[in-house]
Amino acid sequence: MTTATTAEAELNVVLEYCNDVRMAPIPDAGSLPEGFAGTLGHFPVYFPEEVAHAAGLLPVAVLGGGNRLELKHADARMGSFVCSICRSTAELGLNGSLQGLSGFITHPICDAAKHLAGIWARNFPEQLSQILYLPQNVNTPGAVRYIAAEFQRLRSELEKKSGRSVDDESLRRSIGIYNDNRRLLREIYALRRDEPWKLSCTESYLLTRARSRMPAEEHNGLLKRALDAARQRNLPAQDKPRVVFVGGFCEQPPIEMLEAIDSNCYVVDDDLLIGLRWLTQDVPEAGDPIWALAESFVERSAASPVQHDERKTKEGYLMEMIRSSKADAAILTAAKFCEPGLDEQIAWAKHLDNTDIQYLVLEFEEKMTSFEQMAMQLETFAESLLFAVAA
């Protein structure tokens, strides 16, 4: 068996495991990884997982119910005009799928997400239910001090819930583990940017999403195996346009949609699961760890439609993604009923109208099950880009 064949088999094993993890229920008390006493659910976009990790609570990113969940209870508590991820998250709680969580943290990124905490507190009083108030505007002198106070409040709440003291040393240890994770995820995205035929957007997505159900140290091992295997892949580059994908910062598009994009384009950068990749550089491992996390949130972070940072304008960060990844075009998506996403999509499209960069606008919903029309749109878009390059 050749090295490339062995690598392909190894990558397939890792990806199948990641997909199984994606479909699996959250770990219950009997299947918790060693060293953890419970699970802490957190809603997109960003959550400082290091604090929960140090408290012995496994961070579990709650990313909705996908397109196989039937809503039976949530519609009685939320309007039908609310986005799918908020409704399916409530459904997962009400149907018992998340009953094993020790707590659930959400954020005021939009009205629907903000009210999830109230729904949770009323229906699941045995779980810790909190809103983590992260500032939408980080360009004020007191932003880091305020965020540090919020992270400290979170630290105290999790200590009470887990019964475990979170000292600075244990928090620094968790930060170090997550720094390794951030470095490996940056390598994943660098590989996709430099040699996109070796790792597709769907594969990268499955690898990243696996962290939502496992300790970061275990995830680090998986990423190392996947990177080693993907780099040895012997796949030829195909004649596909290079695009960036934006709009996946909160509600997640169905896997089938990502596969349809991969069939026609090389996605060389995206904002999928951006909360799990929010901190773009290592967090300092010396000094006050809470302050280091807060400062990193302001100074070493990505961009998303739910944060207003005058250093990262809507148009500016999209253009930087296109420039740094050498993309030919952009796919601008938004989840149905997502106010922040739709607002950003309009701004992006208006800006690109004044450039020579082509783009495709798509709307998605996590519960989508039909993709034929979207696949046809993508095929037409990709062909038009290739003809334009050849002309």
Side-chain angles (χ1 to χ4, degrees):
M1 189 177 290
T2 65
T3 302
T5 305
T6 304
E8 191 70 32
E10 168 72 353
L11 186 59
N12 284 336
V13 169
V14 173
L15 291 171
E16 284 180 19
Y17 178 67
C18 291
N19 195 42
D20 289 344
V21 169
R22 179 178 71 92
M23 305 295 288
I26 63 167
D28 58 22
S31 59
L32 281 171
E34 186 178 352
F36 292 92
T39 50
L40 183 75
H42 61 88
F43 195 76
V45 175
Y46 171 73
F47 177 75
E49 292 190 351
E50 292 90 338
V51 183
H53 183 274
L57 296 173
L58 179 67
V60 173
V62 179
L63 298 169
N67 58 10
R68 298 186 182 182
L69 178 69
E70 184 180 356
L71 301 187
K72 296 181 178 177
H73 311 285
D75 286 350
R77 292 164 173 82
M78 306 183 87
S80 58
F81 50 84
V82 172
C83 63
S84 284
I85 186 173
C86 286
R87 293 164 62 207
S88 67
T89 296
E91 181 70 29
L92 289 171
L94 294 165
N95 72 12
S97 298
L98 300 179
Q99 66 179 355
L101 291 177
S102 302
F104 176 71
I105 311 292
T106 186
H107 321 276
I109 57 172
C110 64
D111 284 345
K114 180 172 62 180
H115 291 299
L116 269 178
I119 293 173
W120 221 263
R122 177 167 294 189
N123 288 278
F124 315 108
E126 73 283 3
Q127 294 186 14
L128 173 70
S129 177
Q130 290 276 322
I131 296 177
L132 183 64
Y133 290 95
L134 296 172
Q136 291 190 357
N137 179 2
V138 298
N139 304 123
T140 59
V144 174
R145 187 170 64 252
Y146 166 78
I147 297 167
E150 242 338 68
F151 287 176
Q152 186 60 47
R153 181 180 68 81
L154 175 71
R155 178 187 194 170
S156 300
E157 294 286 351
L158 298 187
E159 283 179 331
K160 284 187 281 185
K161 190 64 184 177
S162 68
R164 181 185 298 184
S165 174
V166 182
D167 57 34
D168 284 356
E169 194 53 44
S170 60
L171 192 47
R172 289 191 196 98
R173 188 162 50 249
S174 294
I175 286 173
I177 292 169
Y178 277 84
N179 277 342
D180 290 341
N181 193 263
R182 283 183 271 272
R183 176 179 54 77
L184 290 164
L185 288 174
R186 289 197 295 269
E187 290 183 33
I188 289 279
Y189 272 74
L191 179 62
R192 281 179 50 200
R193 183 185 62 237
D194 298 338
E195 299 174 281
W197 51 91
K198 289 194 171 181
L199 197 67
S200 72
C201 176
T202 306
E203 292 167 338
S204 164
Y205 177 78
L206 289 173
L207 289 168
T208 305
R209 183 163 174 160
R211 203 184 88 198
S212 67
R213 290 288 187 278
M214 66 177 64
E217 47 269 60
E218 181 183 347
H219 192 231
N220 289 346
L222 272 183
L223 293 181
K224 287 175 186 172
R225 288 172 60 191
L227 273 167
D228 288 344
R231 284 170 174 147
Q232 296 179 61
R233 255 179 162 176
N234 187 20
L235 298 177
Q238 296 181 27
D239 196 13
K240 293 180 180 179
R242 296 167 63 95
V243 302
V244 297
F245 174 100
V246 285
F249 60 94
C250 182
E251 182 169 328
Q252 298 302 291
I255 286 289
E256 295 90 338
M257 177 177 169
L258 299 182
E259 291 173 337
I261 296 172
D262 280 331
S263 295
N264 295 283
C265 307
Y266 284 131
V267 182
V268 288
D269 200 1
D270 62 63
D271 65 353
L272 295 161
L273 301 168
I274 193 67
L276 300 182
R277 304 181 285 117
W278 185 254
L279 303 184
T280 55
Q281 300 173 38
D282 287 357
V283 177
E285 297 179 36
D288 181 348
I290 288 290
W291 186 267
L293 285 169
E295 186 185 44
S296 296
F297 180 87
V298 175
E299 302 295 343
R300 307 175 189 93
S301 55
S304 90
V306 299
Q307 187 187 65
H308 303 289
D309 188 334
E310 62 186 23
R311 300 167 299 179
K312 296 174 271 187
T313 63
K314 300 172 190 292
E315 301 84 1
Y317 76 79
L318 173 62
M319 294 304 292
E320 177 56 24
M321 287 175 72
I322 293 172
R323 185 200 62 77
S324 60
S325 63
K326 300 178 182 175
D328 304 310
I331 296 178
L332 314 179
T333 71
K336 193 174 182 180
F337 298 130
C338 174
E339 288 185 24
L342 290 166
D343 182 55
E344 207 88 333
Q345 190 184 53
I346 292 171
W348 288 329
K350 197 171 178 180
H351 180 77
L352 292 181
D353 282 340
N354 295 317
T355 73
D356 59 356
I357 299 171
Q358 301 299 305
Y359 65 91
L360 175 66
V361 172
L362 296 175
E363 184 183 71
F364 69 87
E365 197 171 14
E366 64 171 11
K367 64 180 182 181
M368 283 173 65
T369 55
S370 177
F371 302 92
E372 290 80 6
Q373 186 176 353
M374 184 177 286
M376 193 176 299
Q377 285 180 278
L378 287 161
E379 185 177 356
T380 305
F381 178 60
E383 286 182 358
S384 69
L385 290 172
L386 292 175
F387 282 132
V389 171

